[in-house]
């Protein structure tokens, strides 16, 4: 469950390390985002020489959340940290070429097949 001012780790190699959610996309009164939802975020920490700089406003998809997410078979999936993958603004493809850590299976249902294929593990 991600809302405004939530800090998230960045799970790709764009150079950003930490982002803060500034908007949840998908409706005028949408307050929370979960796995596979797209958000607008501000980069708070980044490595020198990376593609993105601190203060840059980026679009990203949530790949891991701490809040348990219920699946249709009755099981729950929960991660230890909140994380997102940065997206291109126009075509919503990942900006990075590598994805670090596990990602949720819900991304496949949402159409982020490129992220699922780049990830080392799909939970």
């Amino acid at each position: 469950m991600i809302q405004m001012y939530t800090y998230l780790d960045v799970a790709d190699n764009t150079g950003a390390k930490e982002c803060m959610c500034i908007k949840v996309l998908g409706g005028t009164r949408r307050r929370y985002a979960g796995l596979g939802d797209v958000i607008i975020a501000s980069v708070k920490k980044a490595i020198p020489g990376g593609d993105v700089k601190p203060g840059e406003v980026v679009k990203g998809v949530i790949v891991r959340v701490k809040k348990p997410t219920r699946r249709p078979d009755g099981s729950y999936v929960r991660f230890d940290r909140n994380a997102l993958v940065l997206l291109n603004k126009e075509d919503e493809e990942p900006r990075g070429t590598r994805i670090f850590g596990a990602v949720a299976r819900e991304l496949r249902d949402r159409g982020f097949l490129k992220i699922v294929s780049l990830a080392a593990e799909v939970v």
Side-chain angles (χ1 to χ4, degrees):
M1 182 160 40
I2 308 299
Q3 60 185 356
M4 284 177 62
Y5 298 104
T6 300
Y7 274 70
L8 303 103
D9 297 333
V10 179
D12 59 19
N13 64 341
T14 53
K17 288 293 166 196
E18 194 173 51
C19 288
M20 183 184 77
C21 174
I22 55 176
K23 188 70 180 169
V24 178
L25 298 181
T28 54
R29 289 181 179 87
R30 184 104 188 262
R31 187 173 293 180
Y32 306 113
L35 289 173
D37 288 333
V38 179
I39 63 169
I40 304 288
S42 171
V43 177
K44 293 298 180 183
K45 289 183 187 169
I47 60 170
D51 291 346
V52 293
K53 305 284 181 267
E56 194 173 326
V57 176
V58 293
K59 191 183 270 194
V61 61
I62 297 169
V63 295
R64 294 192 289 268
V65 287
K66 226 176 145 135
K67 176 91 174 158
T69 303
R70 189 174 193 278
R71 291 194 165 152
D73 63 355
S75 64
Y76 287 85
V77 62
R78 176 176 61 198
F79 297 94
D80 57 344
R81 301 288 301 267
N82 297 320
L84 83 157
V85 169
L86 301 187
L87 300 174
N88 289 327
K89 294 246 181 187
E90 56 277 348
D91 56 359
E92 295 203 345
E93 290 290 314
R95 283 175 74 166
T97 55
R98 295 176 63 202
I99 307 293
F100 304 119
V103 299
R105 197 181 312 132
E106 281 79 359
L107 269 72
R108 182 178 286 125
D109 305 332
R110 297 291 189 97
F112 295 104
L113 300 173
K114 179 87 175 199
I115 294 173
V116 172
S117 66
L118 288 173
E121 187 178 0
V122 180
V123 180

